[in-house]
Amino acid sequence: MSGPAIQVERLVFAYPDGRQALFGVDFTVERGERVALLGPNGAGKTTLVLHLNGILGSVAGGTGSGRIQIGGTGLHREHLGEIRRKVGLVFQDPDDQLFMPTVRDDVAFGPANLGLRGAELDDRVHEALVQVGMQDHADLAPHHLSFGQRRRVAVATVLAMRPEVLVLDEPSSNLDPAARRELADILAGLDVTLLMITHDLPYALQLCERSLLMDDGRIVADGKTRDLLGDAELMRAHRLELPYGFNPHSVPGPER
Amino acid sequence: MTGDGLLVAVDSPVHRIPAQVKLVALFVFVLAVVSTPAAVFWAFGVYAGMLVAAVAVAKVPAPVVSRRLAVETPFIVFALLLPFVATGPQVSVLGLELSQSGVLGAWNVLAKGTLGVIAAILLSATTAPRELLAGLERLRLPATLVAILSFMVRYLSVVSDDLHRMRVARESRGYMGGRVGHLKAVAGGVGALFVRSFERGERVHLAMRSRGYTGRMPLLSVQGASRGQWMHGVAISVVAVVVAVAARMVSS
């Protein structure tokens, strides 16, 4: 139980078809930090986060090298179960994440795999649903929920495993402004280390003090979100654009 | 209660019977009906009476049942053809020469089919899909099959939404083909839909593994049915079996 929340060193990876996606990625995320992972499409952001819990990479039998440590535990085959509990991955499409007949079953899936049963399992499910404000919808089928509700349940399915690191793949995509804000409120209130892939730059600024900028399978910038977004030349070089009229220096951020 | 699938969301004694009991009851009832000789007409009257009573107790509206009977249509068409194509001694009905064994065969298909379909409608109208899965699991259906069924329940609406979106996209770009044309287009689109669904399957599998899936689905059900619930639920099937045995003895 020591060491940084996420430590990635010299991570290299190529897909089975030979396309190389990661060309030596290095970064460290300290406990309790909130970090946005920015970058254009095809930069390797999703590939990178799929490494963090051993879905891709040499530990899953793929071609690649490098070292990943989560909360001081090295990512090895024998620790895979523990790593997958520590790293909670929320996928982009909630229809991919919610596959059980009801919300309750789905949130219970992760903790049940951890070996929880009976009242303990029910408590865990309830706790996670309360965290995202969906406790009144536990018996509904996922396809009866709105998109924003499904996204929140997807977050709950991961929170139910009490992860140390929450990793989200484009959490604000396809949400209407109110649902987007509600999700931000929920995420801001969680006491976990957060790594968030996003194209929604104001969202990154609102929630994450620090950002990593990724392009062509490398981390090309690492710094305060406000500084990164304010660097017009850097932004242009990596196909990132701020929304019309948005000035990163004139809005409040998460800095305290 | 969720308004889900074919479920008619009301509370009734039939709704409260555990799904595994209802599944067994349905299975035994259908077996009894099928093994009854077609010529013993009173037996089918008794079966029909029992089903009508069960539908009434379950508070399932009659129009719902009759609408859902539409799935039986192909069998009805087949049954109505039988008297005209079967051979053997002929009888004259309303000036038509019909095969005697054909008439009996048609009655056989119609009566047994309709009774079976109504019983199945009753099950689906009183049991949520999730309960049905839990019931199958309690009945020791292999976990893999339960998982496949559960994914089907979950993703049927997602896939049909995909299909609907593809249709809207076609029509928005001026596609006019009527019913037949649409069938043709759907046939072409099925390939695309399969690839989409396959890719979704891979992503779902990733999501499952991320949450610690190692090849065993967690159990859906927690409690079994009590002896009283079994007696209660299977009563109708026991009566049906008695009727079937009696009918066999009468006809032999």
Side-chain angles (χ1 to χ4, degrees), chain A residues 53 55 84 89 91 93 95-100 102 105-106 109-110 112-113 139 141-144 157 161, chain B residues 2-4 130 133 150-151 154-155 157-158 200 203-204 206-213 216-218 220:
Chain A
N53 68 352
I55 293 285
R84 285 185 182 159
L89 215 56
F91 288 78
D93 185 347
D95 278 333
D96 294 342
Q97 184 125 21
L98 308 178
F99 45 78
M100 297 291 276
T102 68
D105 292 326
D106 214 297
F109 181 84
N113 284 331
D139 290 317
H143 57 266
H144 288 299
T157 64
M161 300 178 77
Chain B
T2 53
D4 206 357
R130 186 199 176 279
L133 291 170
S150 118
F151 286 126
R154 169 67 182 90
Y155 285 105
S157 67
V158 174
R200 183 181 296 281
R203 292 198 302 271
V204 171
L206 282 187
M208 291 171 70
R209 277 171 51 198
S210 295
R211 283 196 273 153
Y213 175 72
R216 278 179 60 92
M217 295 293 280
L220 289 167

Side-chain angles (χ1 to χ4, degrees), chain B:
Chain B
M1 276 286 157
T2 53
D4 206 357
L6 296 171
L7 180 71
V8 176
V10 291
D11 187 38
S12 82
V14 183
H15 283 77
R16 283 194 294 269
I17 300 172
Q20 61 267 37
V21 177
K22 281 189 268 191
L23 279 163
V24 170
L26 171 70
F27 186 67
V28 174
F29 180 82
V30 170
L31 279 188
V33 169
V34 169
S35 60
T36 308
V40 190
F41 300 112
W42 61 265
F44 293 96
V46 176
Y47 295 143
M50 293 194 308
L51 273 186
V52 168
V55 168
V57 171
K59 296 184 197 155
V60 178
V64 171
V65 177
S66 51
R67 224 177 310 127
R68 289 182 186 171
L69 268 174
V71 296
E72 206 199 355
T73 316
F75 298 96
I76 295 177
V77 171
F78 173 70
L80 292 181
L81 276 178
L82 264 183
F84 298 98
V85 296
T87 51
Q90 306 277 303
V91 287
S92 170
V93 179
L94 301 173
L96 285 170
E97 285 296 311
L98 300 176
S99 152
Q100 205 173 356
S101 64
V103 172
L104 197 60
W107 156 254
N108 194 18
V109 171
L110 266 185
K112 292 180 179 177
T114 309
L115 288 171
V117 170
I118 292 179
I121 290 171
L122 186 62
L123 173 72
S124 63
T126 59
T127 320
R130 186 199 176 279
E131 305 303 317
L132 218 49
L133 291 170
L136 288 169
E137 192 183 81
R138 293 273 339 165
L139 293 173
R140 304 280 151 83
L141 191 74
T144 315
L145 286 180
V146 176
I148 290 172
L149 285 172
S150 118
F151 286 126
M152 196 189 75
V153 168
R154 169 67 182 90
Y155 285 105
L156 202 59
S157 67
V158 174
V159 172
S160 66
D161 280 356
D162 268 352
L163 207 59
H164 177 71
R165 272 197 295 275
M166 284 157 79
R167 189 175 69 90
V168 170
R170 265 199 311 277
E171 285 179 0
S172 310
R173 282 180 282 161
Y175 185 85
M176 306 259 242
R179 217 168 247 276
V180 179
H182 269 303
L183 272 181
K184 253 163 94 181
V186 166
V190 160
L193 197 63
F194 174 76
V195 173
R196 276 198 204 189
S197 305
F198 188 82
E199 285 175 347
R200 183 181 296 281
E202 296 211 315
R203 292 198 302 271
V204 171
H205 186 232
L206 282 187
M208 291 171 70
R209 277 171 51 198
S210 295
R211 283 196 273 153
Y213 175 72
T214 51
R216 278 179 60 92
M217 295 293 280
L219 296 181
L220 289 167
S221 57
V222 279
Q223 70 225 17
S226 70
R227 185 181 294 261
Q229 283 171 316
W230 275 106
M231 306 284 259
H232 204 83
V234 183
I236 187 172
S237 314
V238 172
V239 176
V241 169
V242 171
V243 172
V245 171
R248 284 230 155 233
M249 282 173 18
V250 170
S251 71
S252 60

